[in-house]
Amino acid sequence: MADVNRGDRPLSPHLSIYRPMYTMILSITHRITGVGLSLGLVLVTWWFLTLAIGEKYFAFADAVLTSVFGGLILIASLWALMFHLCNGIRHLFWDAGYGFELQTAWRSGLAVIACSIILTILIVAISLGGS
Amino acid sequence: MSFQTDRQRVSGLGSAKDGTHEWIGHRISAIALVPLVILFVVPLALSLGGDFEDVRHVYAHPFNAIVGILFFITVSLHLKHGLQEVIVDYIHGKKKLVLALLANTAFSAILGVTGVFSIAKIAFGG
């Protein structure tokens, strides 16, 4: 029952207590890529809107997105998307109750990094080959 | 001395107050996005830098139009849930929190509807 000591309860250890590990970096990167991707989606949505409303607008949007600077942003967004996709699948397995063993979590983390890079390179290659 | 149980005393005090249905909704859109992202990104990668009429032709195709519309609906729901999770974690104070949540709802809705409108307009030949 709720007759509790409110003053000097022990705090659970927080982030700064632990030695940094790459699984922690992956965890925060999932969130950062998620927020960043909503900005990347603004660019893609703008591109689709110009495609719907007229050639003049499309020419400008397409030129911006295929410029060197726009291209770098798109490649960064693409990697962020592939990372978020792969790590999202890893999260879905956790949600279903699988893959919590330390070794498994480390290995799946490495697999996410590798897959996100391979998929990014593959799609950039498709894009350059196609146009 | 309170007669509330410990469980009752802390219920709803998390940063999000409540949100099981949102948590589940976020997972449903996540699962749907696994195939949708791939099906959406490949034609997009092929179309960037393409000729205006050719690219319109790609998105006028029923398959790409349906995938595109499904993608924009699902991704706008997913990003609304995701950004909401970040907002309730990091934005403190009721007024700021409510404003941020309203802005998030407007942002996701505008993005989703703009994407659906654009692809529908192209697909219906307007």
Side-chain angles (χ1 to χ4, degrees):
Chain A
M1 292 291 278
D3 199 15
V4 271
N5 154 23
R6 286 172 190 276
D8 53 347
R9 285 175 295 187
L11 278 174
S12 65
H14 210 335
L15 270 182
S16 54
I17 298 296
Y18 297 105
R19 183 166 49 85
M21 290 190 294
Y22 73 84
T23 44
M24 291 160 73
I25 309 292
L26 291 185
S27 173
I28 192 62
T29 306
H30 193 72
R31 185 165 269 203
I32 294 168
T33 51
V35 174
L37 280 168
S38 39
L39 303 177
L41 189 67
V42 171
L43 290 179
V44 170
T45 309
W46 173 54
W47 184 84
F48 271 101
L49 183 63
T50 63
L51 183 65
I53 59 184
E55 188 159 11
K56 206 174 63 184
Y57 302 98
F58 177 75
F60 178 64
D62 199 60
V64 170
L65 291 191
T66 53
S67 68
V68 174
F69 186 63
L72 286 177
I73 290 180
L74 283 186
I75 291 174
S77 302
L78 177 63
W79 174 77
L81 183 62
M82 292 304 118
F83 177 86
H84 202 85
L85 174 69
C86 297
N87 203 46
I89 293 170
R90 183 166 170 248
H91 269 278
L92 287 172
F93 274 99
W94 285 335
D95 292 337
Y98 302 105
F100 285 112
E101 297 77 16
L102 212 47
Q103 284 288 332
T104 316
W106 280 337
R107 284 189 194 135
S108 62
L110 285 179
V112 161
I113 297 172
C115 288
S116 67
I117 294 172
I118 292 168
L119 284 169
T120 304
I121 292 172
L122 201 68
I123 293 169
V124 169
I126 288 174
S127 182
L128 294 177
S131 57
Chain B
M1 165 103 191
S2 160
F3 289 98
Q4 281 186 319
T5 60
D6 288 348
R7 169 69 176 75
Q8 182 61 35
R9 210 164 43 76
V10 298
S11 177
L13 291 183
S15 57
K17 310 304 172 197
D18 68 295
T20 307
H21 61 292
E22 276 154 1
W23 189 90
I24 293 170
H26 205 176
R27 267 68 199 166
I28 294 172
S29 57
I31 293 167
L33 279 168
V34 173
L36 283 175
V37 159
I38 299 296
L39 293 176
F40 179 78
V41 161
V42 171
L44 179 61
L46 286 168
S47 299
L48 277 165
D51 173 69
F52 180 69
E53 289 301 333
D54 291 349
V55 177
R56 276 177 75 94
H57 204 70
V58 169
Y59 287 101
H61 190 282
F63 184 80
N64 289 332
I66 291 169
V67 164
I69 289 172
L70 279 174
F71 173 80
F72 269 105
I73 292 172
T74 316
V75 87
S76 63
L77 292 172
H78 190 76
L79 84 86
K80 178 179 182 280
H81 279 140
L83 289 178
Q84 184 170 321
E85 201 177 303
V86 175
I87 288 169
V88 296
D89 277 355
Y90 299 144
I91 308 266
H92 305 298
K94 181 126 191 177
K95 202 186 265 179
K96 274 197 247 174
L97 181 63
V98 169
L99 287 175
L101 290 175
L102 283 173
N104 180 36
T105 305
F107 173 71
S108 337
I110 290 169
L111 215 55
V113 171
T114 306
V116 171
F117 164 80
S118 306
I119 294 181
K121 190 168 175 347
I122 296 161
F124 296 144

